[in-house]
Amino acid sequence: MADMVQPDSNSLQILGDDSSVPSSPATVRNDCSITPLTPSPSPRVEVRPRMACPFSVVVAIDFGTTSSGYAFSFTQDSEAIHMMKRWEGGDPGVANQKSPTCLLLTPELRFHSFGFAARDFYHDLDPEEARHWLYFDKFKMKIHSTSDLTMEKELEAVNGRRVRAIEVFAHALRFFREHALKEVKDQSSSVLEGDEIRWVITVPAVWRQPAKQFMREAAYLAGLVSPDSPEQLLIALEPEAASIYCRKLRLHQVLDLSLQPITNGLELDESRPFDSSFRQAREQLRRSRHSRTFLVESGTGELWSELQTGDRYIVADCGGGTVDLTVHQIEQPQGTLKELYKASGGPYGAVGVDLAFEAMLCQIFGEDFIQSFKAKRPAAWVDLTIAFEARKRTAAPGRANALNISLPFSFIDYYKRHRGQSVEAALRRSNMNIVKWSSQGMLRLTQEAMNELFQPTIVNIVKHIEELMAKPEVHGVRFLFLVGGFAESPMLQKAVQKSLGQTCRIIIPHDVGLTILKGAVLFGLDPTVVRVRRCPLTYGVGVLNRFIEGRHPRDKLLIKDGREWCTDILDRFVSVDQSVALGEVVRRSYTPARLGQRKIIINIYCSATDDVTYISDPGVRKCGTITLDLPEPREIRATMQFGDTEIKVTAVDVMSNRSVRASIDFLSN
């Protein structure tokens, strides 16, 4: 039960019938200081015609957990998507179309490098010197796993030093901004002004509003756009972007697992129309990479000719940090998309395999030793993780020979000095028969060992897709698109094919790691392509209503001027999993509680369920605030949009019909 306080500048009263609404209450609850002037039970639709893109170029940044990249397209030639320049450095045999998401700061906390350059420089540092440098990798996951995200959130570098997360993200985005602008200018025949560029940043669909706002604030700090021009930056949802691109696919651009025999990962029948292995697909990409330009269909691709109006499909974005699922329906003839079920997923990305490998090392060598080695030899630890990453990509079901992972010399030497015995002796003592020792200084992981590392993550992914497909709203799915870097893994492909191949067609785009990036560019060119989305949570505000004996609990009773009011009632804006079309709005009108008031602050509450009545109910939490500036102390009408990838708010002074400053904040709780 909320504390009783005197009204403050946040308190609001309702206009209109004095018999139903309190005038400025002498005593109100702090959590329940507003009542709506115009309660509307459901969002209204304002039809938004598709506008010509007001920008000359769209630049999309796919900010991934393990790898990142950018692409761009000129609006005058929107069928051509230009990929970023090939990166220097990298691993032999790996297509380096994106860069590892790792960042290096100097001991003085200045930006040094990003991607392969950061990784290679850090690798070459003297071990003693490396301890003073700040190396960050896979840091995007920290934003997903933080329940109470604020601007003060800190990230820990490999050496244990901490830096504000917003600064690390801004450094990375600034790096992409500089590289992308240089490439755009090299290819542009005219001089581009800053306001002619629309930027798009990708985030997981399962991210909540605070994390989306965090990425926007990092983009402002990095100088991508000004906070005064928020419309110049779009936040794209990763599986949604992939879905947008998948609409354009032609038959020769996909691998159809449904038409392949379930084998040990090797194809048997070369005559099948879709039987094009990833090895061939990668070779095709390598040959075309000198141009780095991909052409997309102006309409929808051949694959969609098989879809009828109303057919449903799932996009499973299997990335480094998360698996992210979205369910769409294509609307013909316009080719727009409708979301059928709220975004779902979880932390079941490829990083789970890395963590399983680290746990295996702890089991063999002792957790205390591994933690000590990471702290004292951070660069060598990074070397070891890179070696595992390269071998992880080659793991396939049914592989007969073991995978060899080189242990850095400093690991072998440090263990001998730390424990007084050899690495080989540690392996023997651990009784772990699925990992062998090679005299060439390598760990030999048997097929059984690789299965043990992959299975927990893969089982979670398959289970999540199966649970989603079992829901009534999703019944009748015809296609399952696997995208994201982890979708390249034959281990994951076979598991999905085995479990779901009889239920629907499983499609993997050839350039699977770039699907989201290309889709993000298409989203920037036309943000109206996803016409209907599902609300991930119930959102609302706390209000006062007439107290009704027998219906309302006595602990919610507030007596003001002889009238009885019920406090803490949740006035819903939208409900969880509610369909909200692009352009649908929720309107509420508010007026200041006292003369001279120049600002109204409204607390927003959310819940993962719709079965709530009061803002004090279990599972309801304060998640943000709306701030309305008052040029004059009179009625303000606030309009909220829930159908975009971010929640937006605008407001007007009702009497003058002029816009007033309105902002929504999810990071200050």
Side-chain angles (χ1 to χ4, degrees):
M1 182 171 158
D3 295 331
M4 304 290 279
V5 297
Q6 291 300 313
D8 56 21
S9 60
N10 297 349
S11 299
L12 305 173
Q13 70 184 122
I14 201 164
L15 289 181
D17 182 1
D18 193 52
S19 65
S20 64
V21 183
S23 58
S24 299
T27 308
V28 297
R29 297 170 190 273
N30 194 35
D31 282 345
C32 185
S33 56
I34 64 169
T35 47
L37 282 164
T38 53
S40 48
S42 59
R44 289 181 48 183
V45 180
E46 289 184 352
V47 178
R48 250 189 344 196
R50 179 176 169 180
M51 307 290 289
C53 188
F55 304 97
S56 300
V57 63
V58 170
V59 182
I61 299 172
D62 179 9
F63 199 119
T65 300
T66 52
S67 60
S68 299
Y70 62 86
F72 58 94
S73 180
F74 295 97
T75 53
Q76 296 302 311
D77 184 21
S78 59
E79 289 175 25
I81 297 176
H82 307 275
M83 304 305 297
M84 59 199 238
K85 279 183 181 172
R86 187 170 179 183
W87 293 90
E88 298 301 319
D91 308 311
V94 177
N96 299 318
Q97 291 168 316
K98 294 203 287 186
S99 172
T101 308
C102 46
L103 182 136
L104 186 63
L105 301 182
T106 68
E108 297 76 35
L109 303 183
R110 287 196 296 271
F111 175 79
H112 181 272
S113 48
F114 182 89
F116 290 116
R119 206 182 74 176
D120 296 344
F121 185 90
Y122 188 60
H123 167 274
D124 293 338
L125 283 172
D126 175 85
E128 199 53 45
E129 191 182 356
R131 291 171 59 185
H132 302 289
W133 288 67
L134 288 81
Y135 182 83
F136 299 88
D137 69 343
K138 301 182 177 71
F139 50 88
K140 180 183 169 187
M141 281 191 75
K142 302 296 183 192
I143 302 306
H144 175 71
S145 59
T146 302
S147 55
D148 295 318
L149 183 62
T150 71
M151 296 284 281
E152 302 309 311
K153 164 74 179 171
E154 291 185 335
L155 294 178
E156 188 175 305
V158 173
N159 67 354
R161 287 183 65 184
R162 302 179 74 84
V163 180
R164 283 175 74 217
I166 194 83
E167 293 171 14
V168 176
F169 277 78
H171 280 311
L173 291 173
R174 197 176 295 116
F175 170 85
F176 281 119
R177 174 184 176 273
E178 290 167 4
H179 277 256
L181 287 180
K182 184 177 185 305
E183 272 201 73
V184 168
K185 284 171 183 171
D186 287 347
Q187 296 204 34
S188 175
S189 54
S190 59
V191 178
L192 286 170
E193 299 298 325
D195 59 1
E196 291 182 76
I197 300 171
R198 163 170 271 166
W199 295 88
V200 182
I201 298 176
T202 66
V203 303
V206 290
W207 271 18
R208 299 282 169 87
Q209 293 300 322
K212 293 176 187 176
Q213 185 185 335
F214 181 91
M215 288 301 283
R216 178 171 283 279
E217 296 293 344
Y220 292 154
L221 188 59
L224 265 68
V225 302
S226 162
D228 297 326
S229 307
E231 69 288 343
Q232 211 181 325
L233 170 66
L234 294 177
I235 299 295
L237 310 181
E238 287 161 0
E240 197 173 275
S243 178
I244 291 167
Y245 176 68
C246 287
R247 290 158 59 250
K248 305 286 187 179
L249 287 171
R250 304 192 65 144
L251 295 178
H252 70 273
Q253 295 173 313
V254 302
L255 178 71
D256 188 341
L257 290 185
S258 314
L259 297 179
Q260 297 212 347
I262 299 179
T263 67
N264 63 352
L266 307 173
E267 282 125 26
L268 300 178
D269 183 356
E270 289 297 326
S271 66
R272 292 180 183 274
F274 283 79
D275 246 8
S276 169
S277 72
F278 266 99
R279 193 175 293 107
Q280 292 167 319
R282 280 205 189 99
E283 189 55 43
Q284 188 181 347
L285 283 172
R286 281 199 189 93
R287 285 198 295 270
S288 67
R289 195 170 299 134
H290 66 276
S291 70
R292 294 177 298 105
T293 300
F294 291 83
L295 297 178
V296 294
E297 296 282 307
S298 54
T300 52
E302 296 167 305
L303 200 57
W304 297 107
S305 63
E306 299 181 38
L307 281 173
Q308 308 296 315
T309 298
D311 276 353
R312 301 146 181 225
Y313 64 93
I314 292 176
V315 176
D317 170 21
C318 306
T322 55
V323 63
D324 219 6
L325 307 177
T326 195
V327 188
H328 277 165
Q329 195 171 47
I330 193 160
E331 300 177 309
Q332 303 285 19
Q334 64 273 38
T336 52
L337 300 174
K338 177 181 180 181
E339 189 176 30
L340 295 180
Y341 190 77
K342 63 177 179 161
S344 62
Y348 317 130
V351 169
V353 183
D354 304 340
L355 294 173
F357 176 63
E358 183 178 334
M360 181 180 278
L361 291 177
C362 289
Q363 199 176 336
I364 296 169
F365 302 108
E367 187 173 353
D368 58 333
F369 168 77
I370 295 297
Q371 296 308 323
S372 173
F373 181 73
K374 284 167 75 174
K376 294 294 192 337
R377 298 286 185 271
W381 172 256
V382 170
D383 280 354
L384 179 53
T385 60
I386 292 166
F388 176 71
E389 176 69 29
R391 305 310 292 152
K392 180 177 79 174
R393 290 170 182 269
T394 66
R399 182 189 174 109
N401 52 331
L403 283 173
N404 294 330
I405 295 162
S406 298
L407 284 181
F409 171 76
S410 60
F411 185 97
I412 298 167
D413 180 62
Y414 192 77
Y415 188 79
K416 190 156 194 175
R417 287 198 283 128
H418 196 79
R419 288 282 203 256
Q421 60 176 344
S422 68
V423 164
E424 187 179 0
L427 256 175
R428 276 200 307 270
R429 199 181 68 252
S430 71
N431 291 323
M432 192 170 281
N433 299 324
I434 56 176
V435 182
K436 311 291 184 187
W437 175 247
S438 159
S439 56
Q440 291 148 334
M442 295 181 179
L443 289 179
R444 293 175 57 77
L445 271 62
T446 63
Q447 179 64 41
E448 192 183 344
M450 292 309 290
N451 283 340
E452 206 167 283
L453 297 182
F454 273 85
Q455 279 313 301
T457 298
I458 287 177
V459 165
N460 272 323
I461 292 173
V462 171
K463 182 183 172 198
H464 209 87
I465 298 173
E466 287 176 334
E467 286 175 352
L468 179 62
M469 291 179 81
K471 295 187 182 300
E473 304 93 328
V474 185
H475 185 68
V477 161
R478 288 196 57 197
F479 288 87
L480 168 63
F481 290 91
L482 282 186
V483 302
F486 197 27
E488 289 188 40
S489 166
M491 304 283 278
L492 177 61
Q493 287 176 26
K494 183 187 176 186
V496 173
Q497 180 191 17
K498 189 175 177 182
S499 298
L500 303 165
Q502 302 301 311
T503 311
C504 61
R505 284 176 67 183
I506 301 162
I507 306 289
I508 307 178
H510 279 173
D511 50 343
V512 66
L514 301 177
T515 306
I516 291 162
L517 189 47
K518 294 177 189 176
V521 173
L522 296 175
F523 177 67
L525 291 166
D526 179 17
T528 66
V529 65
V530 180
R531 197 186 61 81
V532 179
R533 291 184 175 89
R534 293 279 181 154
C535 204
L537 296 168
T538 294
Y539 288 99
V541 294
V543 298
L544 305 175
N545 268 353
R546 269 265 188 85
F547 187 87
I548 299 173
E549 194 69 51
R551 180 195 294 179
H552 296 136
R554 298 293 295 176
D555 63 358
K556 300 294 182 189
L557 175 63
L558 171 71
I559 298 175
K560 159 66 183 131
D561 294 338
R563 295 190 186 136
E564 295 185 339
W565 300 97
C566 182
T567 64
D568 292 350
I569 289 178
L570 181 73
D571 171 34
R572 281 175 185 71
F573 292 157
V574 287
S575 297
V576 64
D577 206 33
Q578 177 181 333
S579 280
V580 186
L582 203 61
E584 280 188 359
V585 297
V586 175
R587 287 213 175 94
R588 296 288 190 275
S589 296
Y590 303 108
T591 190
R594 55 179 174 76
L595 288 173
Q597 187 175 339
R598 287 290 180 262
K599 195 176 291 255
I600 296 174
I601 299 174
I602 305 161
N603 292 335
I604 307 171
Y605 296 86
C606 69
S607 167
T609 69
D610 195 37
D611 185 25
V612 290
T613 305
Y614 305 100
I615 61 175
S616 55
D617 284 350
V620 181
R621 59 188 176 85
K622 181 190 166 198
C623 62
T625 55
I626 296 173
T627 302
L628 306 174
D629 285 2
L630 304 178
E632 299 291 336
R634 55 196 184 204
E635 183 186 352
I636 299 294
R637 182 183 298 127
T639 301
M640 285 148 284
Q641 288 185 36
F642 291 88
D644 284 322
T645 57
E646 298 173 275
I647 296 174
K648 297 171 184 172
V649 61
T650 55
V652 294
D653 180 321
V654 172
M655 190 175 290
S656 66
N657 209 30
R658 286 183 184 164
S659 293
V660 300
R661 187 177 175 84
S663 61
I664 190 162
D665 180 19
F666 292 97
L667 283 173
S668 298
N669 287 313

